Amino acid sequence: MNRAAILVILSLVQPAFAEGWGMKSGDVVFTKAELSEFIAENEVRFYDGGHSEYGPDDAYAYVYEGGDRAEGRYRIEEDGSVCVDFRNGWSRCDLYVRNGGRVLLIDEKGDRYPLKPAG
C-alpha cells in the first residue's frame, strides 16, 4: 500500500476513533511515535499540582501534590492513547492531544485536563 493510500485511510479512521474521546474542534492526536518522544522529553504536569512520570522500562507513576504515588506500567497504543496498568489492579487509558498551542489529556469519559507549561 502506498503512502497516499495510508494517509487517506488514517484520515477516515481518526474521526471515528476521536468520537469516543470527546474530541473538540482543533484537537490533533499525537501519533504513537510523537507521544513517545513527548513524554520522554517533557514534564507532564497538571494544574491540580500532580504530575505523571514516564520512566524506563515502561514504569509509570502519578505523583499527587502531597507526594503520594500511584505506580504501574504504561504502554502506548497504536491509536496514540496511553494505557496504564496500576499495581493495585486498576487500569485506565488516556489520550494526549494538541490544540491551539496547548497539550491536553483526555480521559476515557471525555474529561479534559490541560498540561501545565514547563517553566
Side-chain angles (χ1 to χ4, degrees), residues 51-64 68-75 82-92:
H51 66 275
S52 290
E53 295 177 350
Y54 296 91
D57 300 321
D58 301 328
Y60 174 84
Y62 183 83
V63 182
Y64 295 88
D68 290 336
R69 299 171 65 87
E71 297 180 340
R73 313 294 285 161
Y74 79 94
R75 67 188 178 284
V82 60
C83 297
V84 178
D85 296 315
F86 290 93
R87 288 184 180 168
N88 65 6
W90 192 64
S91 63
R92 66 177 289 151

Side-chain angles (χ1 to χ4, degrees), residues 4-61:
I6 292 170
L7 291 174
V8 169
I9 291 169
L10 288 176
S11 71
L12 296 172
V13 172
Q14 185 169 337
F17 158 75
E19 290 175 19
W21 289 95
M23 299 285 286
K24 293 190 176 181
S25 177
D27 285 348
V28 177
V29 177
F30 283 80
T31 66
K32 184 176 181 176
E34 289 170 335
L35 183 57
S36 191
E37 183 178 333
F38 178 82
I39 62 176
E41 295 178 357
N42 294 278
E43 292 184 332
V44 180
R45 298 193 173 277
F46 299 93
Y47 284 95
D48 67 357
H51 66 275
S52 290
E53 295 177 350
Y54 296 91
D57 300 321
D58 301 328
Y60 174 84

Side-chain angles (χ1 to χ4, degrees), residues 89-102:
W90 192 64
S91 63
R92 66 177 289 151
C93 293
D94 300 303
L95 186 70
Y96 287 92
V97 299
R98 293 182 188 95
N99 190 316
R102 297 184 327 165

